[in-house]
Amino acid sequence: MPDRGGGPTGPRIRAGRPSRRARALLVTLGVLAVLGMVFTMFAGFWTDWLWYRSVHYSSVFTTTLWTKIGLFFVFGLLMALAVGLNIWLAHRLRPPLSAMSMEQQSLDRYRMGIAPYKTWLLVAVACLVGLIAGASAAGQWRTWLMWVNGVPFHQKDPQFHLDVSFYAFDLPWYRFLLGFGFATAILCLIAAALTHYLYGGLRVTSPGARATAAATGHLSVLLGVFVALKAVAYWLDRYGLAVKSSDFKATGNWTGLRYVDANAYLPAKTILFCIAVICALLFFATLWRRTWQLPVIGFGLMVLSAILIGGLYPAIVQKFQVQPNEQAKEAPYVQKNLKATREAYGIDDTKVTEYAGKSTTEDKSKLRDQVGDTASIRIMDPNIVSPTFQQLQQIRNYYGFPTNLDVDRYAKDGKEQDTVIGLRELNLGGIPKNNWINDHFRYTHGYGAVAAKGTEADAEGRPVFTEKNLPSEGSLGTYKQQIYYGEKTTTYSIVGGPQKEVDYSDDEGEKTTSYQGKSGVNLDNPVNRAAYAVAFNEPQILYSGAIGKGSRILYNRTPKERVEAVAPWLTIDGDAYPAVVNHRIQWIVDAYTTTNGYPYASRTTLGDTTADSLTATNNSRAVVAQQNQVNYIRNSVKATVDAYTGEVKLYQWDAADPVLKTWMKAFPGTVQPRADISADLMEHLRYPQDLFKVQRELLTRYHVTDAQTFLSGSEVWEVPDDPTNDSRSAVPPYYLSMRMPDQSAQAFSLTTTFTPNGRDNLSAFMAVDSDPRTADYGKIRLLKLPTSTTVDGPKQVQSQFNSEQDIAETISLLSRGHSKVEYGNLLTVPLDGGLLYAEPVYVRGGELKYPLLRKVLVTYEGRTAFEDTLDEALNKVFGVEGSTTPPPKTGNNPPDTGNPTVRQALDDAQKAFEAGQAALQKPKPDWSAYAKAQDDLEAALKRAEEAQAKADKAAGGDKSGSGGKS
């Protein structure tokens, strides 16, 4: 129509329609938004690929990626084709629309609305369900790789006599396929039914037949497929009984068949399988007999059978056959569970020895000399002294130590000693000024290891450092000291470019360095810089002038994080620990292979069984688990991470583990043979804590091998709570060099205690040989105490310690003012049939912000000592006069000597000693004065020693001269 207004002539603009310029702008913005989304997705993919390539594990990335892509497309396409085909078929089988009912008239507008878009709608629905199914299938890449690469266990289950690999590798994949089949059948049934309804093949309110013959045949076939899949499910459920978890009141968590499973559920599943097959055939028969009568009857029979045979019948068997004589009925199945569980957790070779719990030696003084041969009692608790390391060896605020240090062993003068070790890692919270350059370019790494003797403290209660200062020096020799990868290093750094890095500072000033390693990803490429700018949400990476030729970005820097990334099929131990190996600092990480498909083996939850009082206060010590519920575990891999280069190496530790063999087939070349482990590295490997904690939890019930005893519950133990703190969490296991009664020499061991269920007295002591250089590595020894006598457990020892009047008064004295008493690890040592407990006691107070060893508790068979040193406490407990390291004479008069210099020095020593004692006896102990007195005492004794040596030398010279003249 012509414009009838009186306005100016010219091009007309339709109301509400944007101009050409606006449309162009909107299109441009849309394209840019799409490109931005695409590049963001590309950035994540590209940076992952660059990282895996930088650590030389690109095969892990590609294998995982192609497996996910393959599963996504195969199962996504299958789902899309199945749903699309059934929609198309339902549309093709639509009846001609003649006289339309009110129902069909109301649907007609929907048919007309979608008519122009039928093809596109079909494609859209198929693609949508395909995308969802493909994404779900891609998440099953581990299941697929284990199925296609599975190797036999060469062990058979006791019920069906199938190899364990069927349950561990095959059954999970079959269950996934079955679940996918069910999902496909249900979606196809829904899509077909909706299409038939829309086009008149199904009628709800219209008179006459409710379904056309074509719709009846189509839907009955889909229902037949569903019922056939249900038959397969019933058949697989038979095997699933061997790995089924249930609650068994006699034992708690239970896995495997019980009496009712073998004698009721198993035959019921077989009968239901047969009924489901017949029912499926009846549904398929509707293609010839276009009636629902027989299929519906068959389906109803199947449902009724499932209720009666699958539910009611087993309940009757349980009520009237099992419960009246439960132990006799269940005993054979419990015996199978006992055997399988002990095998699956590696506790089947546990050596259980009866232990008296009481010494047979009447003269206890004779036992004093045996203590040193029995154990190297560690009085430096790695979980207490980290603040002391921090205060004495931090040196610069931008360094820090982990909350919990580690225990290792190092040779000194040809003799190994337990050593507490920690790394001086980077602490960004302590740098002088936080900004992007300082946080990511200048302060990039820590520096040096710090180590101390585990069995000694100096006169002031401080650690006796064997490696200290900055740069670190001591007994560890020369090694690469920069620490670019560590437990506290959780941010990225950009190194190796034009910006110099702070190495360390000393009296001469700041020392700088530039990273020379090949780790990290090169940022020379602008595409890489743009990808990391997007991936890390940091635009400055793209344009910063601090990034130039040679710049490399380091990330994923914690040891556990790196091992988990390169071996995503492993479960990572919660405690990575450092060691100086071949002149380099290496992080050692224990890793496990697990499965929850070991028949008859009871399951355990890793997050619960590996929790203790340390994980309660330090989340970084938690296990990194791929699957939390497992019933098989092996420490199959030992991994190392170089603290400078970040290089990750995986070593095959358990060559017999079929799960590891399976993953090595899936990821060839990623795990090196055990023979590649160097002798230097072997010296620092140890039995892992998390595996030990899982095994000790299982041994609280599975230390017995007799089904009747197991069912009675009379021998159930528990891991005691840590008595040294208020966490109400399990006591952690302790590394300790000690000798068990059947051993000829001390061995580096991991130890723990057990108490009876609901009681505090000791029921057993457990130790495992943790030195891989010994033939007994991994051998678990249990000392079982008699139930007829009572031996104090850890909580009772701690309670006795706190209740003794003299000790309580001393504790009260040490706790005055702002001081705080902290209890160290309560160590247990078997000695001559009895049990020796030793516990260091630290004081953090006054102006001191770090704990110092002040006292040592020792108790043995009711005798308790609370002295300044371990030697003094042992002497008192065993009734031995004197000390292995006697203190200076403390009487009013120094020893008589003819040398005035020596006499004066001893006078000064006496005064210093008295000054120190006076400082301790004040209502509020003056620790600063005490420390000064100890320094004066040490200096005076040194002067006396030097003066006496000079006098002895002069006397010797006179005698020699006299002899010559004669």
Side-chain angles (χ1 to χ4, degrees):
M1 296 293 291
D3 184 7
R4 300 186 183 277
T9 60
R12 290 181 301 162
I13 301 175
R14 294 182 181 178
R17 183 175 181 180
S19 66
R20 182 177 299 175
R21 181 179 300 176
R23 291 199 304 272
L25 179 61
L26 289 174
V27 170
T28 302
L29 291 176
V31 171
L32 289 176
V34 171
L35 289 176
M37 293 174 60
V38 171
F39 187 78
T40 299
M41 296 172 62
F42 167 79
F45 164 81
W46 185 244
T47 53
D48 284 347
W49 161 249
L50 291 174
W51 186 86
Y52 276 97
R53 192 175 64 173
S54 73
V55 293
H56 308 295
Y57 282 89
S58 55
S59 63
V60 174
F61 179 81
T62 54
T63 299
T64 305
L65 177 65
W66 286 117
T67 302
K68 290 179 179 179
I69 290 175
L71 291 171
F72 176 85
F73 279 105
V74 168
F75 286 94
L77 189 61
L78 286 174
M79 179 66 81
L81 287 175
V83 174
L85 178 63
N86 278 277
I87 293 175
W88 174 84
L89 185 61
H91 178 266
R92 185 176 178 84
L93 296 175
R94 68 190 184 279
L97 297 175
S98 53
M100 297 179 63
S101 65
M102 293 298 297
E103 180 183 18
Q104 292 302 313
Q105 290 179 24
S106 64
L107 291 173
D108 191 50
R109 57 178 175 175
Y110 295 107
R111 289 192 290 266
M112 294 180 63
I114 66 174
Y117 313 105
K118 283 192 295 186
T119 303
W120 290 109
L121 186 61
L122 173 63
V123 172
V125 171
C127 287
L128 178 62
V129 296
L131 286 172
I132 296 173
S136 175
Q140 297 294 322
W141 64 271
R142 290 185 178 88
T143 308
W144 160 261
L145 288 175
M146 292 185 78
W147 178 68
V148 78
N149 295 287
V151 301
F153 276 67
H154 300 296
Q155 289 177 284
K156 295 184 177 181
D157 78 282
Q159 181 67 40
F160 302 102
H161 307 293
L162 296 174
D163 192 89
V164 172
S165 61
F166 170 80
Y167 301 94
F169 306 141
D170 299 344
L171 191 57
W173 178 249
Y174 297 153
R175 281 176 165 169
F176 162 71
L177 292 179
L178 185 63
F180 178 81
F182 274 124
T184 304
I186 291 172
L187 287 175
C188 289
L189 186 62
I190 293 173
L194 289 175
T195 305
H196 280 298
Y197 176 69
L198 182 63
Y199 287 97
L202 292 178
R203 300 179 180 88
V204 177
T205 60
S206 301
R210 298 298 184 188
T212 64
T216 300
H218 185 192
L219 295 179
S220 63
V221 169
L222 291 176
L223 286 169
V225 170
F226 179 86
V227 175
L229 289 172
K230 187 61 180 175
V232 176
Y234 281 133
W235 189 258
L236 287 182
D237 284 346
R238 298 169 68 255
Y239 302 110
L241 292 172
V243 289
K244 183 194 73 172
S245 288
S246 60
D247 186 27
F248 187 16
K249 67 178 182 179
T251 62
N253 181 36
W254 171 272
T255 300
L257 285 85
R258 291 155 49 193
Y259 181 89
V260 69
D261 297 311
N263 294 278
Y265 280 111
L266 188 56
K269 296 292 183 184
T270 305
I271 295 172
L272 289 172
F273 164 76
C274 297
I275 294 174
V277 170
I278 296 172
C279 186
L281 293 175
L282 291 176
F283 274 107
F284 293 141
T286 57
L287 286 173
W288 297 275
R289 290 173 54 86
R290 300 301 175 99
T291 174
W292 292 91
Q293 186 175 4
L294 286 179
V296 170
I297 292 174
F299 188 78
L301 177 62
M302 187 180 75
V303 172
L304 182 63
S305 300
I307 296 172
L308 296 178
I309 303 175
L312 185 59
Y313 174 61
I316 293 172
V317 172
Q318 178 69 26
K319 178 71 175 178
F320 295 101
Q321 290 190 34
V322 178
Q323 288 186 5
N325 192 15
E326 187 172 48
Q327 289 206 3
K329 295 290 187 180
E330 301 287 14
Y333 303 95
V334 169
Q335 199 66 50
K336 297 175 184 177
N337 176 268
L338 281 170
K339 183 177 183 295
T341 303
R342 289 168 61 87
E343 290 173 349
Y345 290 95
I347 57 177
D348 49 326
D349 291 330
T350 299
K351 182 180 180 181
V352 181
T353 305
E354 298 294 333
Y355 193 70
K358 184 175 180 61
S359 173
T360 57
T361 303
E362 294 185 4
D363 185 0
K364 303 303 181 189
S365 62
K366 295 180 180 179
L367 301 178
R368 175 63 182 89
D369 294 335
Q370 295 184 23
V371 176
D373 294 332
T374 302
S376 298
I377 299 176
R378 180 170 41 76
I379 56 175
M380 283 291 113
D381 186 346
N383 307 307
I384 295 289
V385 299
S386 179
T388 308
F389 273 52
Q390 184 85 0
Q391 183 68 28
L392 301 178
Q393 287 296 314
Q394 177 190 23
I395 302 180
R396 294 291 182 267
N397 288 336
Y398 48 81
Y399 295 131
F401 291 91
T403 305
N404 305 105
L405 303 179
D406 289 288
V407 177
D408 202 347
R409 59 267 189 228
Y410 287 88
K412 178 71 172 178
D413 298 327
K415 182 181 180 182
E416 282 194 351
Q417 60 184 14
D418 290 358
T419 302
V420 177
I421 187 171
L423 299 188
R424 195 183 284 112
E425 295 189 46
L426 177 67
N427 172 29
L428 286 177
I431 66 176
K433 184 179 180 181
N434 287 102
N435 55 53
W436 191 62
I437 295 296
N438 278 348
D439 290 354
H440 299 289
F441 289 82
R442 285 184 51 76
Y443 294 92
T444 59
H445 59 278
Y447 205 91
V450 177
K453 294 181 180 180
T455 56
E456 293 183 29
D458 68 9
E460 296 183 29
R462 299 176 300 192
V464 177
F465 291 108
T466 57
E467 184 78 12
K468 59 182 179 179
N469 298 336
L470 188 67
S472 294
E473 56 186 5
S475 61
L476 300 185
T478 58
Y479 57 94
K480 193 73 172 177
Q481 297 204 13
Q482 288 96 337
I483 302 163
Y484 283 87
Y485 296 88
E487 290 180 303
K488 297 173 69 69
T489 314
T490 56
T491 188
Y492 70 90
S493 290
I494 299 175
V495 299
Q499 181 68 56
K500 291 293 184 181
E501 310 161 41
V502 175
D503 211 4
Y504 64 91
S505 301
D506 58 17
D507 294 337
E508 298 178 2
E510 195 174 78
K511 308 292 184 182
T512 60
T513 188
S514 185
Y515 184 67
Q516 301 299 314
K518 300 300 181 183
S519 182
V521 177
N522 200 313
L523 293 179
D524 287 351
N525 188 328
V527 175
N528 291 356
R529 293 178 66 170
Y532 279 103
V534 172
F536 288 177
N537 195 26
E538 183 49 73
Q540 295 185 78
I541 295 178
L542 186 60
Y543 56 77
S544 174
I547 301 176
K549 185 175 178 58
S551 292
R552 311 180 73 85
I553 185 167
L554 312 181
Y555 61 105
N556 287 354
R557 298 168 70 182
T558 65
K560 292 196 296 183
E561 187 174 46
R562 292 180 78 78
V563 174
E564 182 193 15
V566 303
W569 34 273
L570 289 174
T571 294
I572 312 301
D573 190 90
D575 184 28
Y577 61 98
V580 176
V581 178
N582 296 322
H583 307 291
R584 304 188 71 87
I585 297 176
Q586 299 281 353
W587 289 97
I588 300 175
V589 183
D590 285 287
Y592 311 109
T593 49
T594 62
T595 180
N596 64 358
Y598 197 100
Y600 270 101
S602 290
R603 289 185 173 90
T604 187
T605 304
L606 290 180
D608 295 336
T609 54
T610 59
D612 58 24
S613 62
L614 299 183
T615 60
T617 57
N618 186 359
N619 289 332
S620 66
R621 293 181 69 96
V623 65
V624 182
Q626 296 301 328
Q627 51 182 168
N628 203 22
Q629 275 266 330
V630 303
N631 68 351
Y632 171 93
I633 185 170
R634 289 291 185 272
N635 176 213
S636 297
V637 173
K638 300 284 188 181
T640 61
V641 177
D642 192 289
Y644 183 79
T645 65
E647 180 184 22
V648 181
K649 290 185 178 179
L650 307 176
Y651 297 100
Q652 182 182 15
W653 187 249
D654 188 344
D657 177 29
V659 181
L660 179 60
K661 291 178 181 178
T662 296
W663 286 118
M664 289 175 67
K665 279 183 63 180
F667 296 96
T670 57
V671 182
Q672 301 180 28
R674 179 169 176 162
D676 288 356
I677 299 177
S678 67
D680 199 5
L681 174 59
M682 189 70 77
E683 291 178 359
H684 299 282
L685 300 181
R686 67 188 191 188
Y687 200 81
Q689 293 188 65
D690 284 335
L691 175 60
F692 183 82
K693 287 188 279 188
V694 169
Q695 290 174 326
R696 75 172 179 179
E697 181 65 31
L698 267 296
L699 282 169
T700 58
R701 291 176 294 140
Y702 286 91
H703 61 276
V704 301
T705 57
D706 175 64
Q708 296 293 341
T709 306
F710 186 84
L711 283 167
S712 71
S714 61
E715 291 288 331
V716 175
W717 301 337
E718 62 183 10
V719 179
D721 291 343
D722 191 343
T724 65
N725 58 54
D726 298 326
S727 68
R728 296 186 180 275
S729 300
V731 62
Y734 295 123
Y735 286 106
L736 182 68
S737 290
M738 59 165 293
R739 175 171 57 85
M740 290 287 277
D742 64 332
Q743 292 178 296
S744 59
Q746 288 186 23
F748 190 64
S749 304
L750 194 53
T751 66
T752 193
T753 53
F754 295 103
T755 56
N757 190 23
R759 297 167 58 194
D760 294 325
N761 57 290
L762 200 67
S763 57
F765 175 81
M766 173 181 172
V768 60
D769 193 323
S770 299
D771 190 339
R773 296 167 297 175
T774 64
D776 284 345
Y777 172 79
K779 183 174 183 178
I780 300 174
R781 293 177 171 88
L782 267 177
L783 300 182
K784 183 181 177 183
L785 279 74
T787 56
S788 57
T789 59
T790 302
V791 178
D792 288 343
K795 185 176 181 180
Q796 292 172 319
V797 169
Q798 191 72 37
S799 177
Q800 178 185 359
F801 161 54
N802 293 332
S803 63
E804 288 200 12
Q805 183 175 354
D806 293 343
I807 296 176
E809 290 176 355
T810 306
I811 291 293
S812 178
L813 178 65
L814 293 174
S815 302
R816 289 183 180 179
H818 297 288
S819 299
K820 179 184 177 182
V821 172
E822 297 182 19
Y823 303 115
N825 39 221
L826 181 57
L827 302 176
T828 308
V829 177
L831 177 67
D832 191 49
L835 290 154
L836 175 72
Y837 288 95
E839 181 181 61
V841 179
Y842 300 83
V843 174
R844 187 201 305 241
E847 298 179 358
L848 297 176
K849 302 302 181 184
Y850 56 94
L852 295 176
L853 181 67
R854 289 304 181 204
K855 294 286 184 179
V856 178
L857 160 76
V858 173
T859 181
Y860 185 75
E861 297 200 339
R863 300 184 181 185
T864 301
F866 189 58
E867 303 297 327
D868 293 341
T869 67
L870 176 63
D871 281 332
E872 292 175 358
L874 290 172
N875 288 338
K876 183 174 180 180
V877 161
F878 292 106
V880 177
E881 296 296 330
S883 174
T884 306
T885 54
K889 185 177 176 69
T890 58
N892 293 329
N893 298 312
D896 189 21
T897 175
N899 189 316
T901 306
V902 175
R903 186 184 302 113
Q904 182 60 49
L906 291 177
D907 285 339
D908 293 343
Q910 179 66 29
K911 293 176 182 177
F913 178 80
E914 292 172 353
Q917 294 300 307
L920 288 178
Q921 297 301 321
K922 289 182 178 180
K924 180 182 177 182
D926 189 342
W927 297 113
S928 298
Y930 179 78
K932 182 179 182 304
Q934 294 300 309
D935 289 339
D936 293 343
L937 174 61
E938 185 177 357
L941 291 174
K942 186 175 181 180
R943 290 203 314 274
E945 182 180 0
E946 291 174 350
Q948 186 63 49
K950 188 179 295 184
D952 292 343
K953 183 177 181 180
D958 291 342
K959 292 177 182 179
S960 176
S962 174
K965 290 178 183 178
S966 302

